[in-house]
Amino acid sequence: PDSSAFLRDVMKLDKSEVKEHIYIIDTRAARDPTVKVVMTIFAVKEGQKLDPTIGLNEFASAVIGARLLLEGGCVPLDLVAEICACVEGTIPFRTNQWAENLYSN
């Protein structure tokens, strides 16, 4: 299926930005319980801007994956949340506060 069908109510291209591929999270996104879970895991807020350097692709993948997995009703939400957390953990180029705390003690 076309990925835009899973994302059109969640995020939209921010045409006011000079840089390409900047998306803004729709203010109605959290109305969908599945999307709300993904937003919570990714610490994404309504109206927040996302780009590929801060997790846009991973967030979009998690929303699409969560919706597809829950669509059939055979995967429970708690397992979908765990999968989304794994996807969130793959966001590159950021400091790992958990590892830093582990090694500092």
Side-chain angles (χ1 to χ4, degrees):
D2 180 16
S3 62
S4 64
F6 295 97
L7 298 172
R8 81 172 43 100
D9 64 328
V10 178
M11 55 195 215
K12 58 187 174 206
L13 185 63
D14 186 354
K15 295 180 181 171
S16 68
E17 282 288 336
V18 189
K19 298 187 328 186
E20 292 184 44
H21 307 296
I22 307 294
Y23 285 80
I24 190 162
I25 303 302
D26 194 290
T27 55
R28 300 163 297 170
R31 292 181 188 168
D32 178 332
T34 303
V35 175
K36 188 172 184 169
V37 166
V38 178
M39 288 174 68
T40 301
I41 291 167
F42 278 74
V44 170
K45 308 279 187 247
E46 293 176 348
Q48 180 177 335
K49 292 183 180 185
L50 285 177
D51 69 53
T53 65
I54 57 172
L56 168 67
N57 299 329
E58 292 81 6
F59 177 76
S61 295
V63 169
I64 293 168
R67 285 182 158 176
L68 282 171
L69 289 169
L70 290 171
E71 194 174 72
C74 58
V75 180
L77 182 58
D78 60 334
L79 183 57
V80 171
E82 288 182 31
I83 295 167
C84 290
C86 291
V87 173
E88 194 278 341
T90 67
I91 298 173
F93 310 116
R94 61 181 177 170
T95 59
N96 184 334
Q97 66 184 10
W98 308 112
E100 288 176 8
N101 288 340
L102 177 67
Y103 293 119
S104 68
N105 290 327

